[in-house]
Amino acid sequence: EAARAAATVAAADLRRAEEEERSAGRELERLVREEAWQRAQAERLEAELARARAAQGDAERAEPPAAPPAGAPATAPDVADDAEDAAIATWEARLADVSGRRDRAAARAAEVDRARSDAERVRARAEAGAALAEERIAAADRAVADLAERAARATDARRETGAEEADATAAEAAARAALEMRSAGVGALRQEVRQAEEEIVRTRQRSHAGSDRLRRLEIAEVEARLALDGVREQLLVELAALGDVGLSALIAQTGIDGATVPPASWQVGVAVPDEGATVAEHARQTRAGAAAASEAGGETDLAEVFEEVLARAGERWAAEAPEGEVPSPGRLAALRRRFHDVGATNPFAVEEYAEIRARLDGLESQERDLRTAIEKTRALIRELETLISERFRTTFARLEGEFDAQFKTLFGGGYAQLSLTDPSDLAATGVEIVARPPGKKPQALAMLSGGERALTAVALLFAMLRVRPVPFCVLDEVDAALDEANIGRFSEALADLARAIQFIVITHNRGTIEAADALYGVTIGDDAVSRVISLRLEEARDIADAARASGPA
């Protein structure tokens, strides 16, 4: 009765919430229409105000008339301007009023939206209360049916006990009649009477014991059913709290065939899960199907899914006891605390895992590509190092031979040698120069005089140019420390190299200048202005020879 009263109250709340929602919807529609009308009025007024302002601006940009004399009455244009200003002020006031009404209408619409949201929430709560009340009424009806069935069984048991009592009473009457008929044989019949009385007593005791046992069985049955309902409700609450994990564990423990999950009664516009899916996927799809069915307007919800699976599990456990030891209440409490400490399950764990797995696969693929590129780069570096080493050794051998030849040419004898400080590491090795000018012992470059060091450096430079010729070369004062004899050999070697390389030599040495083909210099004239002059020695020699040939004998 309390459940029916709660259902009635919930239905009344639901109807009231629906009525409020409808009234709020009508009010919202009215406010929307009013807001649209006010917006149209505001736009029209703004357009007219813009046209009035444009007309006023055109009038102001026009040439102003001459000012009237003092005391003269106002002319027609002045009166028109005042009228336009008054009209513009009126339109602006109307526009402000319409804008205010539009803002108030928008605020009223927002308030109606909030009231509608509140009504929807009240309606949802009322629907939930009505559903809960209906479930309680159904449970109460089932309990009444169970009690009626138990009462019928108890009535049948009482009838059987009454029949036994009637039989016992008839037996007692027969025994008493036999006793009266055989009263002559008192001695023999006393024993029979006592046995009959004892049998009657035992029969009555068995009858009372049967009645007591029946009452105890009824009480035990009621207590067992109450305990079973309590355990079932608690198990449903625990499984609902666990969500997909509890549903999948229940399906796995009961061994329900995946092809039968969920049953046809749950499918209200929802596809059956794949038969090849795992138990956890079946449980997740079952929950999704039940939720979709509930949203689609079906009668099945998530509680019915758990109840159906638990009912199947109960049938299986009734036919075959579960394997393993039943956990104690302390173990269950500890597991429950651990589950609450862990927190709710993440419904997006599978999608997050798939996303992270795809990213990990991409990163691993990039890592493999990078490692492959690194290996190829290292192989290329090793190949380049090998090639550089080979070319360096070949070039260094040629340079060493050419350096010795140039040294002998510039010094007129002796010998020079190039050596590597670390032949095993060509990238970090240095080069040592050992020179022996004619008439001296071999010694390092630092032990030679300034002129000898300069000439040795020139010999090394010329050797490099022999090994690797270049289009042109600039020499700046390389002959400053050379004497006359060395200048001659330097000029000869320079002229020999000039056949393949163009040299630009900056020098003050006369012997080097004589070996040049063209001269370029800077001079200052009488006007103190610097000038660049040039002279080709071949042309100068031809001019001099021609002058000598044309002169007096």
Side-chain angles (χ1 to χ4, degrees):
E1 290 176 356
R4 289 191 179 91
T8 303
V9 173
D13 293 339
L14 179 60
R15 289 193 297 272
R16 186 169 56 257
E18 291 176 351
E19 182 63 28
E20 291 178 356
E21 182 180 2
R22 286 193 295 271
S23 62
R26 290 193 297 271
E27 181 67 18
L28 179 61
E29 291 176 359
R30 186 185 66 78
L31 290 176
V32 168
R33 289 195 298 270
E34 183 178 357
E35 182 184 5
W37 184 82
Q38 296 293 345
R39 186 180 294 108
Q41 292 294 324
E43 292 176 355
R44 183 177 63 80
L45 293 177
E46 287 177 355
E48 293 180 0
L49 179 61
R51 288 196 298 271
R53 286 178 177 174
Q56 183 182 7
D58 294 339
E60 290 177 354
R61 284 192 298 271
E63 183 177 0
T75 60
D78 295 337
V79 175
D81 292 341
D82 294 338
E84 290 178 356
D85 293 339
I88 290 171
T90 302
W91 284 113
E92 288 180 349
R94 292 181 61 186
L95 178 60
D97 182 44
V98 170
S99 299
R101 293 173 63 187
R102 183 183 61 185
D103 295 339
R104 288 191 297 274
R108 177 59 180 168
E111 183 179 357
V112 171
D113 287 337
R114 289 193 297 271
R116 183 176 183 179
S117 300
D118 295 338
E120 290 179 353
R121 287 195 293 272
V122 172
R123 178 182 179 181
R125 288 195 297 269
E127 289 178 351
L132 183 59
E134 290 176 356
E135 291 180 0
R136 291 178 178 175
I137 291 171
D141 292 337
R142 289 194 294 270
V144 170
D146 293 338
L147 291 175
E149 184 179 357
R150 289 199 297 271
R153 288 198 298 270
T155 302
D156 293 338
R158 288 192 182 91
R159 287 198 194 95
E160 293 176 358
T161 305
E164 292 179 358
E165 289 179 353
D167 294 339
T169 303
E172 182 181 1
R176 288 184 182 278
L179 180 61
E180 292 177 356
M181 291 173 62
R182 297 179 182 181
S183 57
V186 177
L189 292 177
R190 286 185 183 275
Q191 183 66 27
E192 293 180 2
V193 170
R194 282 195 298 270
Q195 292 177 356
E197 289 178 352
E198 291 176 358
E199 184 65 25
I200 292 171
V201 171
R202 285 194 296 270
T203 303
R204 288 178 178 176
Q205 290 177 352
R206 286 196 301 270
S207 177
H208 292 306
S211 299
D212 294 338
R213 186 168 61 255
L214 179 60
R215 285 193 296 273
R216 287 195 299 270
L217 288 176
E218 290 177 354
I219 294 172
E221 183 182 3
V222 172
E223 293 178 351
R225 285 187 176 277
L226 292 176
L228 181 60
D229 291 339
V231 171
R232 185 170 176 274
E233 293 293 335
Q234 183 178 3
L235 182 57
L236 284 175
V237 172
E238 295 292 340
L239 290 176
L242 291 175
D244 292 339
V245 177
L247 186 58
S248 60
L250 183 58
I251 294 174
Q253 288 293 329
T254 56
I256 298 174
D257 186 8
T260 64
V261 178
S265 61
W266 301 348
Q267 300 304 311
V268 183
V270 183
V272 178
D274 300 333
E275 294 185 1
T278 62
V279 174
E281 292 174 353
H282 276 302
R284 190 179 303 109
Q285 295 176 11
T286 300
R287 286 171 54 86
S294 178
E295 293 178 0
E299 299 178 356
T300 302
D301 58 2
L302 192 58
E304 295 183 2
V305 174
F306 280 101
E307 290 178 358
E308 183 68 20
V309 175
L310 185 59
R312 293 193 179 190
E315 294 174 0
R316 181 178 178 86
W317 290 336
E320 181 182 355
E323 298 179 357
E325 184 180 356
V326 179
S328 62
R331 173 66 174 168
L332 291 176
L335 291 176
R336 189 178 297 108
R337 286 195 300 272
R338 288 183 58 189
F339 176 76
H340 289 301
D341 291 340
V342 170
T345 58
N346 185 7
F348 305 102
V350 177
E351 290 78 1
E352 292 177 359
Y353 171 78
E355 182 180 355
I356 294 174
R357 185 63 187 178
R359 183 183 177 190
L360 178 60
D361 294 339
L363 292 177
E364 289 178 351
S365 176
Q366 294 178 8
E367 181 185 9
R368 288 193 297 270
D369 295 340
L370 288 175
R371 291 187 182 279
T372 304
I374 289 172
E375 292 298 330
K376 291 181 179 179
T377 305
R378 288 177 177 173
L380 180 60
I381 290 172
R382 289 192 295 270
E383 182 179 354
L384 290 176
E385 288 178 350
T386 303
L387 180 61
I388 290 171
S389 300
E390 293 176 355
R391 291 191 178 183
F392 180 79
R393 292 183 186 278
T394 302
T395 305
F396 186 78
R398 291 179 56 191
L399 180 61
E400 186 176 8
E402 194 65 34
F403 175 59
D404 183 60
Q406 291 294 326
F407 185 85
K408 291 178 180 179
T409 300
L410 293 177
F411 279 91
Y415 75 89
Q417 182 182 0
L418 296 176
S419 62
L420 299 176
T421 58
D422 188 5
S424 61
D425 188 5
L426 298 181
T429 185
V431 179
E432 290 185 352
I433 300 175
V434 178
R436 187 183 71 81
K440 293 185 178 181
K441 63 181 180 178
Q443 53 189 343
L445 184 63
M447 301 302 294
L448 300 178
S449 63
E452 291 173 342
R453 287 199 299 271
L455 199 58
T456 303
V458 170
L460 181 59
L461 176 61
F462 286 175
M464 292 179 181
L465 294 176
R466 288 284 187 183
V467 174
R468 286 287 185 270
V470 295
F472 66 92
C473 180
V474 179
L475 302 178
D476 186 7
E477 299 290 349
V478 297
D479 56 352
L482 304 181
D483 54 10
E484 291 295 333
N486 293 329
I487 282 295
R489 291 191 291 271
F490 171 77
S491 300
E492 292 175 358
L494 188 62
D496 187 23
L497 287 172
R499 294 187 180 95
I501 302 173
Q502 182 180 4
F503 283 93
I504 301 174
V505 182
I506 302 172
T507 183
H508 293 84
N509 196 302
R510 184 175 60 184
T512 305
I513 293 174
E514 292 176 354
D517 295 331
L519 299 178
Y520 298 90
V522 180
T523 183
I524 298 178
D526 295 337
D527 54 356
V529 177
S530 298
R531 293 184 179 85
V532 178
I533 60 175
S534 61
L535 175 65
R536 292 191 174 272
L537 295 184
E538 292 295 334
E539 295 177 358
R541 291 192 186 96
D542 294 340
I543 293 172
D545 293 341
R548 283 195 299 272
S550 63

